Amino acid sequence: MPNGRRPSGPSATILHADLDAFYASVEQLLDPSLAGLPIAVGGGVVLAASYEAKAYGVRAGMAGWRARQLCPDLRTTGGHFREYQRLGDEVMKVLDDFTPLVERISIDEAFLDVTGSVHLFGPPAAMATEIRHRVRTEVGLPISVGVATTKHLAKVASQVAKPDGLVVVPTGTEQDFLDPLPVGLLWGVGPVTRTQLASRGIETIGALAAASPSMLRHLLGRANGAKLGALALNADPRRIETTRRARSMGAQSALGRRRVDDEVLRVELGFLADRVATRLRAKERAGRTVTVRVRFVGMRSVTRSVTLPAAISATRSLAEIGVTLAQQALADHPDEREITLLAVSVGNLVPDVPLQLELPLDLGDALPRPGTEAGAARWALDRAMDRVRDRFGRDAVGHAALMLREGGVPDEFRELAEADRDDR
């Protein structure tokens, strides 16, 4: 535990529990002969890697051929998706035994508020130790836990604890703990932001905490600069939310290294739009803001977005908007002809109201509104496909170009990994 200032303020009763290299650890659990070996889930694209493989530089999203170059002894497995879900649920049941205040944020991680459980199970550190013991003995998987006063700090602590460890940040020592850590451990700092900060000599959380707010706003934008500056000072007022309504829904596809043209955009963004729109309709939601992210070689990304006059949940409409936005992004970067990732998300979510037919007035809309004749046809087609898929499975029916799409990440893995994104 870090030592430092005298305890003051709220108690460290927020836990972040995060299973270690979850998908790869499940494969090693199911096949003990893989224990201790460098393994990757997936073939053409690495979906997940064990710590033994990560030591060679193998990472999720990497092309399979590149992973084998880095680690010639790499073992690959296709993935056991039902087991991932089952074991992830079993871990959550263990967490539920300690407190009703559990916020599951993905298949393999969750926050807990154990303030009301101290009189039953002892101090938060003791609960964290017992959680790790039970998950290891009852489920068979390693899990790291961070304990702190805020969600943000608990998550940072769990990352420091990896693999298979426990880190407690006592009240009053938060800044002593954070200051020397690399800025990349902060929630929301990716490769691009890390490079931007490094250009100003900011490589640690302490340096970020000491930076001028105006400089951060100028460098990172008003919202992101303010958010990261606050997190560097452990200013995080968020509470544990046991039920959440998604603010946006999205999906992404790692492409390896692909030369881009209109056909690639049409197929890949059509595939992503199908996934996102299906999830929107399943939750009876629609959205007005569509955002597309294009990542080039070298991890540099650009985004383009549009806010529509009416909310949509139609697959084809979302795909058409996505292609247009991606084409705009590429037109603004004519020297970039290879991409490594595409992503699409829908925000400004509202309830998806029942279809209401509209008079055939020419309102100048670029897309068919749901109540027009063309929009109604899309509405009916989507819901007919949804009913068939609900009964016979996702592969039973689909748009021809998407059904014939080759390669990529298995649908089962996407269904586990794609969570309704709450813009934290």
Side-chain angles (χ1 to χ4, degrees):
M1 297 183 193
N3 294 315
R5 302 162 193 146
R6 296 176 60 186
S8 61
S11 300
T13 56
I14 303 299
L15 277 61
H16 181 255
D18 192 0
L19 288 155
D20 297 316
F22 175 58
Y23 302 110
S25 294
V26 170
E27 297 301 326
Q28 291 173 325
L29 175 66
L30 298 176
D31 183 356
S33 71
L34 297 176
L37 298 180
I39 70 167
V41 181
V45 176
V46 175
L47 308 180
S50 66
Y51 281 105
E52 295 85 359
K54 289 179 180 179
Y56 288 87
V58 178
R59 296 291 183 269
M62 180 178 288
W65 64 266
R66 176 57 177 160
R68 287 185 287 275
Q69 271 188 341
L70 294 172
C71 181
D73 295 328
L74 186 69
R75 302 277 294 275
T76 59
T77 177
H80 294 80
F81 303 101
R82 290 183 180 177
E83 289 298 295
Y84 299 154
Q85 188 67 64
R86 180 183 69 82
L87 291 167
D89 291 345
E90 287 297 317
V91 171
M92 296 303 146
K93 290 178 183 177
V94 173
L95 303 184
D96 288 338
D97 286 345
F98 289 86
T99 175
L101 299 178
V102 176
E103 179 183 344
R104 186 176 188 175
I105 59 174
S106 71
I107 190 174
D108 59 348
E109 61 177 318
F111 289 106
L112 300 80
D113 185 340
V114 298
T115 303
S117 304
V118 172
H119 68 290
L120 294 174
F121 302 107
M127 279 185 264
T129 298
E130 181 63 14
I131 285 170
R132 296 185 59 246
H133 172 72
R134 286 190 55 186
V135 170
R136 172 68 83 171
T137 57
E138 297 175 19
V139 186
L141 294 172
I143 188 168
S144 295
V145 181
V147 183
T149 54
T150 65
K151 292 169 71 173
H152 147 68
L153 188 55
K155 184 172 175 68
V156 172
S158 73
Q159 304 314 298
V160 174
K162 287 182 175 294
D164 195 18
L166 166 64
V167 168
V168 179
V169 186
T171 302
T173 70
E174 294 89 347
Q175 212 60 48
D176 293 335
F177 173 76
L178 282 171
D179 283 353
L181 296 176
V183 73
L185 286 178
L186 287 182
W187 208 341
V189 176
V192 174
T193 301
R194 193 164 60 241
T195 299
Q196 290 174 314
L197 291 171
S199 71
R200 298 297 183 93
I202 299 173
E203 297 185 348
T204 66
I205 296 176
L208 178 61
S212 161
S214 60
M215 185 274 285
L216 293 178
R217 289 195 298 270
H218 177 75
L219 182 66
L220 306 174
R222 180 178 300 274
N224 200 35
K227 182 187 76 171
L228 292 181
L231 291 181
L233 293 167
N234 195 37
D236 181 11
R238 296 171 303 157
R239 297 177 179 272
I240 300 298
E241 299 179 40
T242 56
T243 59
R244 295 181 304 173
R245 173 70 82 167
R247 298 176 189 169
S248 68
M249 294 188 190
Q252 65 182 32
S253 180
L255 306 175
R257 184 168 178 166
R258 185 87 64 87
R259 187 166 182 82
V260 66
D261 55 29
D262 287 346
E263 179 66 12
V264 169
L265 295 179
R266 185 177 66 84
V267 172
E268 295 299 333
L269 287 169
F271 174 75
L272 295 176
D274 186 33
R275 300 202 66 84
V276 174
T278 299
R279 290 164 55 212
L280 283 168
R281 296 191 296 270
K283 293 185 177 292
E284 299 181 342
R285 306 286 279 174
R288 292 182 55 225
T289 300
V290 179
T291 301
V292 165
R293 179 161 63 100
V294 181
R295 190 173 72 194
F296 302 118
V297 176
M299 300 298 290
R300 188 164 69 92
S301 297
V302 296
T303 60
R304 294 292 182 271
S305 64
V306 63
T307 297
L308 308 169
I312 64 169
S313 63
T315 296
R316 184 172 172 186
S317 296
L318 179 55
E320 290 173 354
I321 295 169
V323 169
T324 299
L325 291 173
Q327 289 172 334
Q328 291 173 359
L330 290 167
D332 292 339
H333 297 81
D335 294 335
E336 301 281 2
R337 300 313 304 168
E338 290 186 327
I339 61 176
T340 61
L341 179 141
L342 285 169
V344 63
S345 66
V346 179
N348 272 343
L349 300 187
V350 297
D352 196 5
V353 299
L355 178 66
Q356 294 180 336
L357 297 179
E358 301 177 7
L359 293 174
L361 302 175
D362 184 7
L363 301 177
D365 292 350
L367 290 168
R369 295 167 64 91
T372 63
E373 183 177 358
R378 293 183 178 189
W379 187 95
L381 175 61
D382 283 337
R383 281 151 182 82
M385 289 176 54
D386 292 343
R387 289 193 294 272
V388 172
R389 286 170 165 177
D390 287 343
R391 183 171 181 182
F392 299 106
R394 186 173 186 85
D395 293 335
V397 65
H399 297 275
L402 308 185
M403 298 290 284
L404 298 175
R405 175 180 177 270
E406 297 181 357
V409 177
D411 279 356
E412 298 94 333
F413 192 88
R414 292 183 186 277
E415 289 167 1
L416 294 176
E418 288 170 1
D420 297 347
R421 290 193 286 181
D422 183 0
D423 296 333
R424 293 179 287 270

